[in-house]
Every structure is written in structure tokens, then in C-alpha cells.
Amino acid sequence: MMNANKYSPGYFPPSHNEYRWVKKDHPDHAPAWCSVDLRDGNQALIVPMSLEEKLEFFQLLVRIGFKEIEVGFPAASQTEYEFLRTLIEQDLIPDDVTIQVLTQCREHIIRKTFEAIQGAPRAVVHFYNSTSKAQREQVFKKSKEEIKEIALEGARLVKQLSEEYDGNFLFEYSPESFTGTEPDFALDVCNAVIDIMEPTVERPMIINLPVTVEMSLPHIYANQIEYCSDRLHNRDAIILSTHPHNDRGTGVADTELALLAGAQRVECCLFGNGERTGNVDAVTLAMNMLVLGVDPQLDFSNMPEIVEIYERTTRMHVHERQPYAGALVFAAFSGSHQDAIAKGMKCKEEDPEGRWTVPYLPIDPQDLSRTYDADVIRVNSQSGKGGIGYILETKYGYNLPPKMREHFGYVVKDVSDRHHSELKPDEIFDIFKATYLNLDAPLLDIKEVHFLQGKNLKAVVTAVRQGLEEEWFATGNGRLNAVNNAIKQGTGLEYTLETYTEHSLSNNSSASAACYVGLLWPDGTRTWGAGTNSDIIFAGILALASAVNARFIEKDEVE
């Protein structure tokens, strides 16, 4: 039995807030994005990336549009160090990209870091020390003043070395475990660091207030951000940054509310990779902005490629239900969902402004290089006529009449149910052909039809019925009616031709017309047939013959 009494909140709400962020709907512009995949994300991997993999991942981040990329903790390992030197010495850093390195506020680590970034065209030196109550008391066993002095010593050394080493350096400070730190103390430490670093509007400094461990509901973090944002020294020369982890599963919400509360920059990882439950997911954050009409300034349009490179280089898996990126996030198996999506797609085509309002799809899958037939309408035993009909129409060009579409829906669902599997579009089309299309068995095969004009239109039908060729004659008030009468007289069958529709079939180069016929039999059952041919009259005849043959096809013959 779990014991809730052993837990108590470890966070510290600020003493006063204006709560201006509550009145905002959403961020109205993109933040500055910093990818920490190659540092925070990489150190969380069971098998960290090799030099070659890190270079490939770096290039991916550049293509996506990240202008700030934390490339490692160069004092932590030789691979980290070599990666950084490779980027600098081989001139692999684009002019508009700033690299970032992380260092603790410890002298030997800071010095090793500056050795690693010497000659960088532009680099952020990110220094930090932990300030939380728990770490002060349990790990360091130091007072607030002693913890503050660690930060100040680190700031002084960073500033000193930035003047001694060759390079273009910017600065970032983080009070690690900010969420477990008293806001007034975190603010005091940050302001003391700012006073030492003396940032200017032309060369601002980053103050990063990380959610090192999620401890509260997201609105508490937003309050902490707003409180500090209002009280930081030299605020115009400060870029307020956030680095949320996801321990409570609300990292995205933490970030979105922090942006409302004054944060201007986000440190994040693709697909939420990172320590423990991960960092905030850059993909979800950016796409959430996009669907609200805000340009995130990151390009995830080739999502399949991004997922492939990420999974291969990190050996991590993008979950099937991962927002925007998962293999099944756009998939609709439910019949009602499929029907709504299919109807929404029709409305979208008729909207002159091209607005995206399709039910169940907050974003157009094609914007992420996903396809409707392969990724959206997915067919299994839970599917309905709307989605199945949508696949036939959009992928193969067949627009079945409503009652035939319903009948085909049950046929497909029955096959899926008996096989306990999803059916791919080509499998659905194969079932359609076996059930309805140009059927020449088991009863009759129409070989030739001639029409004789006279007082009444006369059809001469040559057909093979159960292996024997026969010729039938009948009149009618139209060509299909005459052929229908000839078939009924030749076979002795009784039925009513209840439904007939036709349309051009542009998706198929070998046939220009498609026709559908529905027959009502004396016992109340209906059968359906479809015909395709370059001659629309003969396509209708083939559909009629198919509907007759369908009466005699056993269920297992369509699989």
C-alpha cells in the first residue's frame, strides 16, 4: 500500500505575484531555442553517441533550425572534448549557430572548458551550481552564503578566462535545482552573478531557471518565473531561459506557462530525451505553437527522417503515441472518427481560405511528411464505412454509392476481424476487386453485347454461363435495361435492379469509367457489383453481371 504521508511539497511558492501571465492565451512568438540533445540528452543514453553520430546529430539540429546547440560537457570525457574540437577546427559550425558548453562552478572544470572552446567563433559558457534547500543541507552541508560564494567564484573565473582565451564568448548561469530553491535566495544568487558579469543590451547574459526536478503543478513554476523576471538586475540585458525536466509528466506545460510568465528561451531535446523522465520535448513545444498559428522557427516538416536519425543515433525509440511524431498519432481506426475525418477533408477542399479544421486532426499530417492513406485512415475490425470508402476514393478513384459503401465496410471489417489484423490500402482494394469488380464467375461471363435499333431497343448478349456459351435476346427502354432483361430471361433469375451510379475513373489509366449496380433479390437480400471499362455502357454491363455473380460467391472467396 502506498503511503502518501511520507511525501510533502519540496517547492517554495514566491511570496508575491502579479499573475499577469494568467491573462495570456498563448505565446505570440517563438522563443530562442537551445537544443541540449548532445549534452543532457546524450549523457542520459545507455550507450552515448560516438563522435560520428554526434556530428550527424549536430547537422540534423542545424537543418531543423536550432541557432543555439549545447554540444557537451567537455571536461566530462575525451569524446565530448574531441567532438567540440572537431566542430571548431574543421569549421563545422554555421555562422548563424552558437554552440554552448556546460561547466560546474569548479576551477579545474572551468579551465578545462575554456581549453576546449578556444577559438570558437561564438560560444555560450554555461556555468552552474546547485542552490536547492535539499542539496545545501544533504549534499554540500553548506549555508546559503557559502553556496552563493561558489556561484560568485565561478562567475569571476569565467569572466577572467573569457578575457585570456581566444574566442567569442557569451555567458549563462543556472541555479541548479531552482524549483527546490527558495525564490528569494535563487534571485539573490542570480543578481549577484549578474553584477559580476556586467551584461549589456548588446551582449546580454542568459539566466537559466531550470526545472531540474519537477516538484509542483505548472502554474507554480510560472509564478516563480514571473517573480524572478520582475526582479532580476539589468533585466534588459538578460535573456531569461527555462530548462524543464519531465518528472511529473508536465514539462511541456511548465514551459508553455513559463513563456507566458516572462521566459524568453527554452533548452530542450528532441522527443523529450534526457535524464530520468527526460527534458521537455522540443517537437511538441514547437508543433503546439504551429497549430495555434505561431511560427516556431523550427522545421519539423520531414518528421520521418528526423525520427529515423534520432532512433539510429540514440538507440532510443519514438513511441507510437508520441505527440506529432509517433507512428500512430494520426491513425484513426474508429469508424466514427474515420467518417468525421473523411467529411472534414471534403469541407477543407471546398474552403477557399484553405483553413485547417478537420475533426480529430489538430494538424495536417502532410505538413510533417505523413500521408493520409498510410498514416491517417487505418482499417481494422473497429473501422467504418467512411474511412474504408475514403481510402477507395482517394487512393484508387472509386466512389461507391452510400449503401454499397456500407456493405463493403462490413465485408472489410469481417475480414479484419477473422484475421485479427490491420488491413493495408492495397489489401482493401484487393477485397474490393474480389467482391465486386468485373466478376465473370461463378455464374456468367458477358463476352459480347450488340444493340439493334428498331421500334424497341434490342440487346443481343453473348455470355458463358457455367461453362457453356449462350446467346440471349431482349428489348428494353435503354441499353442497360435491355441487357438486364436478357440476363434475367437467359438465367431465369428474379431480382430488381435497384441502384445504378457511374463516374469517370481518372486514377486508372486503363479504364475511363466506373459503374456500380445494386440488385434486390426476392428474399430481401442485396448484392452489389462494380464494372470498369473505357466504354461506360460496357462498364455498366460488367457491373450488372458482377452484381449477379456476387449472389453466388462464397464468403471465403473474397480473401
Side-chain angles (χ1 to χ4, degrees):
M1 186 69 177
M2 294 187 294
N3 178 15
N5 294 326
K6 69 188 290 185
Y7 298 102
S8 61
Y11 58 86
F12 300 91
S15 58
H16 176 73
N17 263 94
E18 295 295 331
Y19 298 104
R20 294 185 304 277
W21 65 269
V22 177
K23 301 173 185 177
K24 300 178 183 178
D25 289 339
H26 59 77
D28 59 6
H29 64 278
W33 300 100
C34 178
S35 161
V36 294
D37 292 85
L38 293 171
R39 196 277 301 173
D40 202 336
N42 185 59
Q43 73 186 37
L45 300 176
I46 297 173
V47 180
M49 285 182 267
S50 66
L51 176 61
E52 292 73 20
E53 289 169 335
K54 294 190 79 170
L55 289 170
E56 181 180 10
F57 207 105
F58 179 82
Q59 292 163 355
L60 171 65
L61 295 171
V62 169
R63 289 199 301 275
I64 290 171
F66 283 98
K67 301 306 180 186
E68 298 179 34
I69 302 173
E70 190 169 83
V71 295
F73 198 141
S77 74
Q78 190 61 27
T79 301
E80 300 274 288
Y81 187 92
E82 288 179 2
F83 172 55
L84 181 53
R85 293 312 307 164
T86 299
L87 290 175
I88 296 171
E89 292 169 8
Q90 295 188 16
D91 196 21
L92 298 177
I93 306 169
D95 292 340
D96 61 346
V97 172
T98 301
I99 61 169
Q100 177 172 304
V101 291
L102 185 70
T103 175
Q104 292 173 325
C105 287
R106 299 172 66 183
E107 181 176 354
H108 72 284
I109 296 178
I110 293 174
R111 291 187 180 278
K112 181 74 171 179
T113 300
F114 272 93
E115 290 176 15
I117 58 172
Q118 183 167 221
R122 184 178 170 91
V124 172
V125 179
H126 180 186
F127 59 102
Y128 73 96
N129 68 303
S130 185
T131 59
S132 72
K133 185 175 186 294
Q135 295 229 33
R136 291 196 313 264
E137 294 178 353
Q138 299 175 37
V139 180
F140 303 111
K141 301 188 185 300
K142 292 182 181 294
S143 67
K144 287 183 177 180
E145 284 305 313
E146 290 173 311
I147 292 295
K148 178 179 175 180
E149 187 56 32
I150 292 174
L152 300 187
E153 288 178 359
R156 295 186 191 103
L157 182 58
V158 166
K159 187 174 184 180
Q160 173 193 329
L161 294 180
S162 69
E163 297 168 356
E164 296 177 2
Y165 279 83
D166 176 37
N168 182 10
F169 305 120
L170 301 171
F171 309 108
E172 175 177 352
Y173 173 70
S174 291
E176 190 199 4
S177 301
F178 167 76
T179 46
T181 303
E182 303 87 337
D184 286 333
F185 177 56
L187 186 64
D188 180 44
V189 175
C190 289
N191 281 334
V193 169
I194 291 169
D195 292 344
I196 290 174
M197 303 307 294
E198 298 180 304
T200 64
V201 173
E202 293 72 27
R203 291 188 68 80
M205 176 184 183
I206 300 165
I207 292 294
N208 185 56
L209 303 179
V211 185
T212 307
V213 178
E214 275 194 310
M215 295 180 171
S216 69
L217 273 67
H219 74 286
I220 298 294
Y221 181 57
N223 288 339
Q224 294 167 333
I225 290 289
E226 184 178 77
Y227 181 83
C228 292
S229 178
D230 289 346
R231 293 163 176 81
L232 286 171
H233 290 182
N234 206 359
R235 184 64 180 86
D236 290 345
I238 299 300
I239 299 170
L240 186 55
S241 179
T242 178
H243 179 119
H245 282 260
N246 198 43
D247 303 86
R248 290 171 53 90
T250 56
V252 168
D254 285 333
T255 308
E256 290 178 329
L257 297 191
L259 291 174
L260 298 183
Q264 301 155 286
R265 180 178 182 269
V266 177
E267 296 188 344
C268 48
C269 284
L270 299 184
F271 311 116
N273 186 26
E275 297 169 291
R276 304 184 312 278
T277 53
N279 293 279
V280 67
D281 178 13
V283 178
T284 300
L285 280 172
M287 300 313 300
N288 281 358
M289 288 185 179
L290 185 69
V291 299
L292 292 175
V294 178
D295 184 354
Q297 302 293 308
L298 293 178
D299 182 7
F300 292 105
S301 58
N302 195 348
M303 191 67 77
E305 180 197 38
I306 294 169
V307 171
E308 188 279 323
I309 293 175
Y310 170 84
E311 292 190 327
R312 174 166 48 78
T313 56
T314 67
R315 301 160 187 83
M316 301 286 282
H317 174 61
V318 175
H319 193 274
E320 287 76 9
R321 302 295 180 188
Q322 178 83 14
Y324 301 106
L328 297 179
V329 294
F330 299 117
F333 291 99
S334 162
S336 61
H337 287 207
Q338 291 177 346
D339 184 60
I341 290 171
K343 291 174 178 174
M345 295 296 291
K346 286 281 189 183
C347 290
K348 170 185 167 292
E349 294 172 2
E350 299 167 2
D351 184 351
E353 297 182 9
R355 295 170 299 175
W356 184 263
T357 57
V358 176
Y360 298 111
L361 294 179
I363 188 171
D364 185 348
Q366 288 189 331
D367 286 346
L368 303 176
S369 299
R370 306 284 290 273
T371 60
Y372 300 128
D373 59 324
D375 295 303
V376 178
I377 305 296
R378 306 281 291 268
V379 174
N380 62 16
S381 61
Q382 307 301 306
S383 304
K385 63 183 184 297
I388 295 168
Y390 178 82
I391 288 175
L392 270 187
E393 182 176 359
T394 58
K395 189 170 179 65
Y396 303 102
Y398 290 88
N399 185 10
L400 279 57
K403 289 185 178 179
M404 183 180 183
R405 183 175 292 201
E406 180 177 3
H407 180 270
F408 184 49
Y410 283 115
V411 171
V412 171
K413 288 168 66 174
D414 184 60
V415 173
S416 176
D417 195 31
R418 284 186 283 135
H419 286 254
H420 300 289
S421 66
E422 178 188 357
L423 297 176
K424 303 299 183 184
D426 286 349
E427 294 174 307
I428 293 169
F429 189 45
D430 287 342
I431 295 172
F432 169 75
K433 291 185 290 186
T435 307
Y436 308 111
L437 187 60
N438 292 355
L439 303 181
D440 56 10
L443 183 68
L444 67 122
D445 177 11
I446 303 296
K447 293 297 186 182
E448 195 172 38
V449 177
H450 296 286
F451 296 100
L452 304 175
Q453 297 289 345
K455 184 176 180 181
N456 294 308
L457 180 67
K458 185 176 184 179
V460 180
V461 179
T462 303
V464 174
R465 181 163 70 110
Q466 296 179 331
L468 298 176
E469 185 173 298
E470 302 178 11
E471 194 170 65
W472 305 325
F473 305 88
T475 60
N477 56 16
R479 296 191 178 196
L480 187 63
N481 180 252
V483 173
N484 184 47
N485 290 337
I487 290 174
K488 292 171 74 173
Q489 292 175 24
T491 61
L493 297 173
E494 289 296 327
Y495 57 81
T496 301
L497 200 164
E498 189 178 52
T499 302
Y500 174 82
T501 64
E502 63 184 45
H503 64 77
S504 62
L505 192 66
S506 58
N507 287 34
N508 190 331
S509 60
S510 64
S512 58
C515 297
Y516 311 95
V517 166
L519 304 180
L520 176 64
W521 297 83
D523 61 1
T525 60
R526 287 181 174 82
T527 58
W528 296 91
T532 57
N533 194 269
S534 57
D535 181 345
I536 194 168
I537 298 300
F538 199 67
I541 294 169
L542 292 176
L544 173 60
S546 296
V548 172
N549 280 317
R551 173 76 170 179
F552 303 95
I553 293 177
E554 296 295 331
K555 181 184 292 187
D556 59 3
E557 291 183 41
V558 305
E559 297 186 39

